Amino acid sequence: MPTSPSVVTDPSPTSPPATRDRRADLIVVLVALALAWWVTSGMWRDPGTRMITVNSSDQALFEWLLAFGGHTLTHGQNPLFTHLINVPDGVNLAVNTSVTVYAWVFAPLTYLIGPPATFLVILTLNLAATAVAWYWLLSRHLVRSPLAAGVGALFIGYCPAMVSHANAHLNWTAGWLVPLLIQGVFALRRPGNAVRGGVLLGLLVAVAFSIAAEGLFFTALALALFLLFLALHPARRAEVRAALPGFLRGLGVTALVAGVLLAYPLWLHFAGPQRFHGTGFDPGVHSEDIAAYGSYPRRSLAGWAGLGTSLAPNPTEENSFFGIPLLLLAVACFGYLWRRADRAFRATLAALGVTAVVFAVLSWGPQAKWNGRRTDQLLPFGVLDNLPVVNAALPSRLALVVAPVIGLLLAYTVDRLRARPPRHRATAAAWTAGFAVALLPLLPAPLLTGEREPIPAFITAGTWQRYVSPGGVLTPLPLTLDVTPDGQRWQAYALAHRQGEFRIPAGFFLGPGGPDGRGRIGPVPRTFDTLMDQAGRTGLVPIITEGSVRESLADLHYWHVEVVVLADRVHGAKYDLDEDALRRTATALLGPPQRVDDVWLWKVPA
């Protein structure tokens, strides 16, 4: 493809491997690993006793998914549907984030060191691999300068959104998939590569669906928009016309391979049991504040200095937060590159700009918000939100597409400046100062971590096996939900340590039961779990009547619960829980408990 004198415009080899600086490659890999360790350093002291404080519920969920996935691999069970949680209905994991590929690949590690340590290993590798994968794409296919590739890759790998999602999101931190998908798509245009390239891309799509289906969807939308705009540009039409037949054949092979591999997961997702439409999350709440684009994230050097804001719906969703200096630098980079580009590269820049603007506007959600205040202005996402699949996406996460575009502009600019240094020292100093002022405040800070509640000896010693029949049902108090994840933590321990299976009612998952056929977190509440939740939250014993006793017993029988267990210390992911109020409420409903090891235990009467 035609290129500007010093900038490659699309994924195609720039120079023979022998001429590349391997020392630069090693430096970028080491820096990426060091930053990944720095961000996760709070947990490396002791993964078994440390947790991410702002999102311990998602951490518990992913640890359970790793233990469950490894268990399905060694026991030949279905990895995409389970009755171990949400008894008796079960959970459709195809409409959740199953991370089955991670669970299977890292199963030996999970059995060796436990789910918490495996979770930490994957999270750390995700961050480092994202930066390294982007460096590979940039240095091998897009720019000639290793410094330019390193600047762009490290920014994308440790941009505010990636650091924010490092708060326990193994799916969204798997950003290393995106550059591989981009290169896989562009490789389809090479003559004679339709079959081989299509097979490889189909396999990659199947892996990406398992790890981060929503991220795969966003990547596909962004690539489609970029390629459509590029194809319509007069400077690219002839080139697109020549490459289109082979490209379409490659996409056909990709669709065939991915369709075969994903036939069952897609059926479960759209037509299987326990499916739902949309999500249980309000798109108005989970949309990006327009002012957030010019603000700083909390887990950054600027946030540490007190410049961070709380414009995100929660600390794991700071999907933009670039700061005004970086936005100005991105505009300056775009203008600088535009003035020096040929027609072909201008088409690439225009397509990048359109993609970034479209996704930024969509990330604002159905109605505009400015500095925390919602306006009545209807935005494009409000129209698209009724479309299938789109209604299952959180609009704020569409801002994740903007960061790679900015990273590409940074890399292209550094590459151009390295190839043709400015004539005046003042100009060079201005560019250096601009990059420093824009990027230094965004240097990541370590995640906030704290001590996790220990798993009781009743579980770790295997004592539970004397009170629960094989495959029987045990429930902790309060019942397992996103805000009270103990049950899945206990179950993950039992599975990873090959103690056998016990099932639990409820659980942290997305399932049916929300308004208008949408999803909700956990099952629809019943009398028993409502009473226990009230006691744990308020510290007060609810009024117990004969009717509430009768209904609670009916609930326990509906779930087939054999024993109810209360640990001495109960973990609340969002608030503290009152163990004494829980014990007194359970006693009022079920009678006096037994003391077994370090838990209170009630046997449910038949």
Side-chain angles (χ1 to χ4, degrees):
M1 288 184 120
T3 66
S4 57
S6 64
V7 181
V8 179
T9 62
D10 52 60
S12 55
T14 62
S15 59
T19 65
R20 300 188 181 113
D21 190 345
R22 299 300 181 187
R23 290 175 299 176
D25 297 351
L26 179 60
I27 290 172
V28 170
V29 170
L30 292 177
V31 172
L33 286 170
L35 286 173
W37 175 86
W38 169 247
V39 171
T40 59
S41 57
M43 289 185 289
W44 278 105
R45 283 182 286 171
D46 188 351
T49 63
R50 306 289 295 178
M51 66 178 181
I52 298 172
T53 54
V54 301
N55 198 15
S56 60
S57 54
D58 275 4
Q59 181 176 350
L61 171 62
F62 278 108
E63 289 175 5
W64 179 85
L65 286 166
L66 293 173
F68 168 74
H71 182 75
T72 64
L73 180 65
T74 57
H75 289 71
Q77 297 179 359
N78 187 347
L80 297 178
F81 198 95
T82 181
H83 285 93
L84 287 179
I85 60 177
N86 195 36
V87 173
D89 298 319
V91 173
N92 185 339
L93 293 176
V95 293
N96 287 263
T97 301
S98 63
V99 295
T100 304
V101 169
Y102 274 161
W104 285 358
V105 170
F106 288 90
L109 194 64
T110 301
Y111 283 124
L112 180 65
I113 62 176
T118 303
F119 166 87
L120 178 56
V121 169
I122 296 174
L123 178 62
T124 306
L125 290 178
N126 264 352
L127 294 171
T130 298
V132 171
W134 276 104
Y135 175 77
W136 166 80
L137 179 66
L138 287 164
S139 64
R140 274 33 176 192
H141 301 285
L142 296 177
V143 297
R144 294 185 175 89
S145 165
L147 176 63
V151 169
L154 290 172
F155 167 74
I156 298 172
Y158 295 94
C159 65
M162 287 295 293
V163 175
S164 171
H165 283 285
N167 284 296
H169 287 170
L170 293 189
N171 51 345
W172 285 109
T173 52
W176 54 270
L177 288 163
V178 177
L180 300 185
L181 288 165
I182 292 173
Q183 172 56 16
V185 168
F186 275 91
L188 296 179
R189 63 182 172 78
R190 297 176 189 164
N193 193 45
V195 175
R196 179 177 179 275
V199 170
L200 292 176
L201 184 57
L203 293 171
L204 185 59
V205 167
V207 171
F209 182 87
S210 167
I211 295 175
E214 193 176 357
L216 173 65
F217 177 57
F218 289 177
T219 303
L221 286 180
L223 275 171
L225 178 62
F226 174 84
L227 291 173
L228 177 62
F229 191 88
L230 199 66
L232 295 176
H233 197 281
R236 295 285 194 175
R237 286 177 188 168
E239 174 190 340
V240 170
R241 192 179 301 114
L244 190 59
F247 183 77
L248 292 178
R249 284 195 296 271
L251 282 183
V253 175
T254 299
L256 178 62
V257 172
V260 170
L261 294 174
L262 296 177
Y264 177 65
L266 289 174
W267 174 82
L268 271 179
H269 188 97
F270 293 106
Q274 294 298 105
R275 67 189 183 279
F276 55 88
H277 303 288
T279 68
F281 300 99
D282 184 352
V285 173
H286 291 271
S287 58
E288 204 72 352
D289 194 306
I290 299 174
Y293 277 82
S295 303
Y296 285 118
R298 282 169 280 193
R299 303 315 304 155
S300 66
L301 184 61
W304 176 79
L307 300 178
T309 62
S310 56
L311 293 176
N314 59 66
T316 67
E317 299 291 344
E318 293 180 334
N319 295 307
S320 56
F321 291 80
F322 300 116
I324 292 177
L326 180 59
L327 296 180
L328 294 176
L329 177 64
V331 173
C333 290
F334 187 92
Y336 172 80
L337 292 168
W338 186 270
R339 289 196 305 271
R340 287 158 177 78
D342 57 20
R343 291 182 71 246
F345 188 53
R346 283 189 176 183
T348 299
L349 288 174
L352 286 173
V354 168
T355 302
V357 170
V358 168
F359 275 80
V361 173
L362 289 175
S363 75
W364 298 341
Q367 290 179 308
K369 286 188 297 184
W370 176 261
N371 207 23
R373 296 183 178 180
R374 191 185 306 276
T375 69
D376 295 328
Q377 180 62 49
L378 181 66
L379 295 176
F381 190 88
V383 178
L384 301 176
D385 188 35
N386 293 322
L387 296 177
V389 183
V390 175
N391 62 8
L394 299 184
S396 68
R397 292 175 176 175
L398 291 163
L400 289 162
V401 174
V402 181
V405 174
I406 293 177
L408 287 170
L409 292 176
L410 298 179
Y412 281 139
T413 301
V414 173
D415 193 51
R416 179 80 181 194
L417 291 170
R418 295 281 291 177
R420 294 185 178 181
R423 296 180 180 179
H424 303 289
R425 291 183 178 180
T427 304
W431 276 111
T432 303
F435 272 80
V437 170
L439 296 179
L440 286 178
L442 297 177
L443 286 175
L447 304 176
L448 296 175
T449 60
E451 294 288 333
R452 68 166 76 197
E453 304 297 347
I455 297 176
F458 176 75
I459 298 295
T460 60
T463 309
W464 65 269
Q465 294 168 313
R466 301 204 303 263
Y467 295 88
V468 182
S469 61
V473 182
L474 169 157
T475 186
L477 293 181
L479 269 68
T480 305
L481 287 172
D482 58 324
V483 292
T484 52
D486 278 350
Q488 277 170 273
R489 291 177 57 227
W490 298 359
Q491 198 177 65
Y493 183 94
L495 294 176
H497 290 78
R498 305 193 181 193
Q499 292 181 345
E501 296 179 357
F502 64 80
R503 297 181 293 154
I504 60 173
F508 181 13
F509 62 92
L510 289 175
D516 302 323
R518 290 177 173 262
R520 58 169 287 123
I521 297 177
V524 176
R526 302 173 74 92
T527 300
F528 181 75
D529 50 314
T530 300
L531 291 173
M532 302 312 302
D533 176 72
Q534 181 181 342
R537 284 176 183 259
T538 65
L540 301 174
V541 177
I543 297 174
I544 305 298
T545 65
E546 291 184 6
S548 56
V549 171
R550 186 168 56 252
E551 290 179 6
S552 295
L553 286 173
D555 292 339
L556 293 169
H557 292 153
Y558 170 77
W559 293 318
H560 308 292
V561 173
E562 298 177 22
V563 293
V564 176
V565 178
L566 173 63
D568 290 336
R569 293 169 58 185
V570 178
H571 175 62
K574 305 297 181 184
Y575 45 79
D576 292 332
L577 294 165
D578 191 310
E579 291 86 358
D580 183 63
L582 287 167
R583 181 172 58 83
R584 289 187 287 130
T585 302
T587 299
L589 290 170
L590 303 174
Q594 299 176 240
R595 184 66 177 176
V596 181
D597 289 348
D598 53 351
V599 303
W600 298 101
L601 183 144
W602 292 262
K603 291 184 179 180
V604 178

